[in-house]
Amino acid sequence: MTDKILIIDFGSQVTQLIARRVREAGVYSEIVPFQKAQDWLAREEPRAIILSGGPASATWVEAPRAPQSVFERGVPVLGICYGQQLLAAQLGGKVESGHHREFGRATITIEEFSPLFGDVWEPGETDTVWMSHGDRITALPPGFEVIAFSENAPFAAIADERRRFYGVQFHPEVVHTPHGAALLANFVHAIAGLKADWTMQGFRKTEIEKLRAQIGKAKVICGLSGGVDSAVTAVLVHEAIGDQLTCVFVDTGLMRAGEAEEVVALFKGHYNIPLVHVAAEGLFLEKLHGVADPEQKRKIIGATFIDVFEAEARRIGGAEFLAQGTLYPDVIESVSFSGGPSVTIKSHHNVGGLPERMNMKLVEPLRELFKDEVRRLGRELGLPEAFVGRHPFPGPGLAIRLPGEITKEKLEILRKADAIYLDEIRKAGLYDAIWQAFAVLLPVKTVGVMGDERTYDHVCALRAVASVDGMTAESYPFEHAFLARVATRIVNEVRGINRVVYDVTSKPPGTIEWE
């Protein structure tokens, strides 16, 4: 894998989307925090460089800077938002604070032709883009010209065509800039001259060769959670080394209806992968008894999972490697610079890493992939669509969808309600249009009348969100008739629930889980 794009991260919460758009254009890209960029450039030869946005101001004395060598390598450079201002400031232009800010949708007007715009925009045309800036360029560096402007950003897009340096004040990586992906594709193809040759088929072949070279004849153990990431990891590693791999599935009793059985059937039956199934529901419920605080529940689940997994690893014995489904966002977040929005790793997704005392070397074949790429790899490996396309499910499982104390009875009530909800979504043909849908059993009870009897039972909340990339999410606009049908089924079929509500809140960048 020789041709790649370097993305230097200055702390934008949407930097990952730049890499996704570049990869969607069929070109491999890597994100490196600005403090590590010089070391990375000393080892690698990127074919082009992108400077991300960020929360800092280019006018600050201590503002993050790009290595000056970025502009001396003779490769195309694209600055986005803060990256554009940085490019201008470091090359002799001027950036000022205190001018009209732009946050949200804005209209740009194309002033000059540029290969950056290609077939997307012609001079004189206008289009909508997404702005998010408080500073702006007030004087261009030598060699640059304006190629687009907006009402509050006279230098909305700038270019030095001779050196192939470009800057845009708006964010082409977000979906709110409708033609942004095409602009980034122009940068990597028309300007950098790279072919769209990064595919899952090629990744699969290369990664299998890497795994065989890394592992040799050693044994590997892999923990299955029931999710897509660990499943794809296991199947890929098994394709590389066969029965040298043993999978351990810790059944916490906190999974959705039927999922534990699906995992066992898939790996033991379909793939014939050596699998140890640990039924640990009783242990997890015992550890969680009387605990209501959500953060404490997560920590207990994480610690208990580690204890069970470690005990099984010792019992199996002989494994030198531990296979994990680490994804590229995890890698990026682990090296993010202090203070940036992307530095926080949400505890509701990460229930704890394995202890160093296990003394195993890591195998992380997915660490270069985003979630959607993992799904594509899963399809490439032949995993069933029902498994690959499954909605995201957090590590702590139903525990974070059951506020308050967790009991076996409450879990069964929630599991049944959740299954009915998802069943109706599938019947309506909406499952793939929704990023994530789930039921929540609220820690309150209400009085109701069913038939001739008064009831005092739980309230069930339903949530469904639509999202393109998981960075932001909006409640899915179900028709009233659909919600009425789901509510009727749940109240009639699930003993212990007498009222159903639908959560219509949206989420900003970050978690889209309940807690």
Side-chain angles (χ1 to χ4, degrees):
M1 191 182 297
T2 55
D3 291 344
K4 63 181 65 174
I5 300 282
L6 169 64
I7 300 167
I8 300 180
D9 181 21
F10 294 97
S12 169
Q13 58 188 339
V14 292
T15 297
Q16 293 183 24
L17 295 184
I18 303 173
R20 288 172 61 101
R21 301 298 174 250
V22 171
R23 292 188 185 188
E24 286 167 3
V27 177
Y28 182 70
S29 61
E30 287 190 20
I31 298 173
V32 176
F34 74 92
Q35 310 98 314
K36 300 178 183 292
Q38 186 58 57
D39 292 340
W40 192 95
L41 288 167
R43 302 188 306 270
E44 304 280 353
E45 292 289 339
R47 293 285 299 276
I49 298 172
I50 298 177
L51 309 178
S52 85
S57 169
T59 63
W60 298 347
V61 174
E62 300 297 327
R65 292 285 189 265
Q68 200 61 30
S69 63
V70 164
F71 310 109
E72 300 167 353
R73 304 177 74 88
V75 301
V77 178
L78 172 64
I80 295 174
C81 197
Y82 176 79
Q84 184 214 38
Q85 297 166 6
L86 204 60
L87 179 147
Q90 291 189 228
L91 293 178
K94 189 175 181 180
V95 178
E96 295 182 3
S97 299
H99 292 276
H100 292 293
R101 301 184 302 169
E102 281 185 302
F103 293 95
R105 289 181 173 84
T107 299
I108 61 168
T109 300
I110 309 306
E111 186 162 323
E112 298 288 342
F113 171 80
S114 170
L116 184 66
F117 298 153
D119 295 332
V120 180
W121 296 310
E122 297 288 343
E125 291 184 346
T126 62
D127 204 353
T128 300
V129 298
W130 188 263
M131 293 281 192
S132 180
H133 67 98
D135 298 348
R136 75 182 188 190
I137 298 172
T138 55
L140 288 177
F144 280 82
E145 64 176 356
V146 177
I147 57 176
F149 62 89
S150 73
E151 182 179 357
N152 292 321
F155 305 113
I158 60 176
D160 180 336
E161 302 289 3
R162 183 182 64 81
R163 289 185 289 179
R164 297 184 295 172
F165 291 168
Y166 302 87
V168 293
Q169 185 58 73
F170 54 90
H171 286 273
E173 68 273 29
V174 301
V175 296
H176 307 297
T177 300
H179 295 101
L183 183 149
L184 289 170
N186 284 339
F187 179 71
V188 300
H189 296 315
I191 294 171
L194 299 179
K195 296 180 180 178
D197 57 6
W198 193 72
T199 65
M200 276 303 110
Q201 184 180 24
F203 177 87
R204 173 186 181 181
K205 180 180 178 181
T206 300
E207 199 59 37
I208 286 173
E209 292 172 356
K210 285 183 183 178
L211 288 168
R212 288 171 179 165
Q214 178 186 6
I215 296 168
K217 299 297 182 181
K219 291 183 178 180
V220 181
I221 190 170
C222 176
L224 290 178
S225 66
V228 176
D229 304 337
S230 62
V232 172
T233 297
V235 174
L236 184 64
V237 172
H238 185 257
E239 186 167 304
I241 63 169
D243 288 350
Q244 292 170 238
L245 170 71
T246 299
C247 291
V248 175
F249 171 48
V250 179
D251 185 354
T252 64
L254 302 172
M255 297 182 72
R256 290 172 290 200
E259 288 190 342
E261 294 80 3
E262 288 178 16
V263 171
V264 174
L266 180 65
F267 286 89
K268 274 191 173 181
H270 185 74
Y271 283 102
N272 198 28
I273 296 176
L275 174 68
V276 177
H277 178 198
V278 185
E281 178 188 38
L283 175 62
F284 278 85
L285 288 178
E286 178 185 337
K287 296 284 187 180
L288 291 166
H289 178 70
V291 179
D293 179 73
E295 193 64 25
Q296 189 178 357
K297 286 193 288 188
R298 294 175 186 124
K299 291 178 180 178
I300 289 171
I301 293 167
T304 306
F305 181 91
I306 290 170
D307 290 343
V308 174
F309 187 88
E310 186 179 13
E312 286 302 318
R314 285 198 303 267
R315 191 183 65 79
I316 295 168
E320 297 180 31
F321 290 89
L322 170 68
Q324 289 189 166
T326 305
L327 302 192
Y328 196 43
D330 302 323
V331 177
I332 296 167
E333 288 175 328
S334 69
V335 298
S336 296
F337 69 88
S338 178
S342 61
V343 74
T344 302
I345 300 179
K346 304 294 190 300
S347 64
H348 69 280
H349 281 300
N350 299 272
V351 294
L354 294 176
E356 292 183 6
R357 64 178 179 268
M358 291 189 69
N359 195 30
M360 289 184 181
K361 291 171 280 189
L362 284 179
V363 173
E364 299 174 306
L366 309 184
R367 63 182 285 116
E368 296 176 354
L369 303 183
F370 289 101
K371 189 77 171 185
D372 58 320
E373 294 170 332
V374 173
R375 295 187 191 280
R376 285 163 50 199
L377 178 59
R379 294 182 180 100
E380 174 71 25
L381 291 166
L383 276 161
E385 184 60 35
F387 208 94
V388 175
R390 181 176 290 169
H391 289 177
F393 193 58
L398 295 179
I400 67 168
R401 296 171 183 174
L402 208 165
E405 182 182 358
I406 295 174
T407 66
K408 187 178 180 66
E409 178 189 13
K410 288 182 181 178
L411 283 169
E412 284 304 311
I413 293 172
L414 176 58
R415 196 173 281 119
K416 290 176 182 177
D418 189 69
I420 290 171
Y421 184 32
L422 294 179
D423 179 55
E424 288 294 333
I425 287 174
R426 289 190 175 94
K427 285 179 179 177
L430 299 175
Y431 190 84
D432 293 337
I434 295 171
W435 175 267
Q436 188 180 52
F438 54 86
V440 176
L441 195 67
L442 300 181
V444 294
K445 288 187 174 183
T446 62
V447 174
V449 176
M450 298 180 68
D452 296 323
E453 297 181 2
R454 177 173 291 182
T455 63
Y456 183 63
D457 286 324
H458 293 280
V459 176
C460 174
L462 304 178
R463 179 153 174 75
V465 293
S467 177
V468 174
D469 46 47
M471 297 296 294
T472 58
E474 295 180 341
S475 59
Y476 189 82
F478 286 123
E479 294 181 359
H480 177 75
F482 172 85
L483 293 174
R485 185 164 63 250
V486 174
T488 299
R489 276 198 63 188
I490 290 175
V491 170
N492 286 339
E493 298 177 30
V494 183
R495 187 175 294 276
I497 294 176
N498 68 1
R499 194 174 304 275
V500 177
V501 297
Y502 182 58
D503 174 19
V504 295
T505 57
S506 296
K507 291 286 183 181
T511 172
I512 57 176
E513 291 294 345
W514 182 265
E515 292 185 354

